[in-house]
């Protein structure tokens, strides 16, 4: 249970409490407005507490995932076919317009260099 008392988790706990309190407060405020004759506020009277419930559900899910040791999958984007398709397009354009093909090779090189920095 000590892992839920780290600064990151304490911040998440505080955020969940603040959001739930704010959303319930907004729901109460809309209920007062609806009682005053604002018909549109009736929808918001029920909407804000639903947002608070969503915060609680996500908070519980995050705690369960942490206890189960679930880690998000690494974001690896593999595009092996894309490079081959690009080369084929450049080859076809080279036959039609060598200047356009040279420009596309230049753009492809810039694109591959920028991915290496990220």
């Amino acid at each position: 249970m000590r892992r839920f008392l780290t600064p990151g988790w304490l911040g998440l706990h505080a955020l969940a409490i603040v959001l739930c309190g704010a959303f319930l407060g907004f729901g109460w405020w809309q209920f007062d407005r609806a009682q005053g004759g604002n018909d549109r506020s009736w929808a918001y009277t029920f909407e804000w507490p639903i947002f608070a419930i969503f915060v609680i559900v996500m908070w519980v899910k995050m705690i369960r995932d942490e206890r189960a040791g679930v880690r998000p999958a690494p974001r690896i984007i593999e595009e092996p076919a894309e490079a081959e398709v690009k080369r084929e397009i450049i080859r076809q354009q080279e036959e039609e317009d060598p200047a356009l093909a040279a420009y596309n090779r230049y753009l492809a090189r810039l694109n591959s260099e920028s991915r290496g920095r990220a």
Side-chain angles (χ1 to χ4, degrees), residues 25-104:
F26 290 151
W28 186 258
W29 170 60
Q30 290 294 334
F31 178 72
D32 287 342
R33 289 188 58 176
Q35 294 286 13
N38 187 348
D39 291 335
R40 184 178 294 175
S41 290
W42 282 111
Y44 296 126
T45 298
F46 299 104
E47 184 177 303
W48 284 110
I50 290 172
F51 290 158
I53 291 169
F54 178 76
V55 168
I56 293 169
V57 167
M58 292 309 296
W59 179 69
V60 169
K61 182 187 180 322
M62 289 173 62
I63 289 176
R64 284 185 178 174
D65 286 349
E66 179 70 22
R67 291 184 74 198
V70 176
R71 298 282 178 219
R75 297 191 60 167
I76 299 174
I77 300 173
E78 296 182 20
E79 302 169 346
E82 185 177 334
E84 186 178 327
V85 170
K86 286 179 184 176
R87 282 193 300 271
E88 179 62 27
I89 291 171
I90 290 172
R91 187 190 62 74
Q92 288 175 356
Q93 289 175 347
E94 202 162 64
E95 296 170 0
E96 298 171 10
D97 187 0
L100 179 61
Y103 181 68
N104 283 334

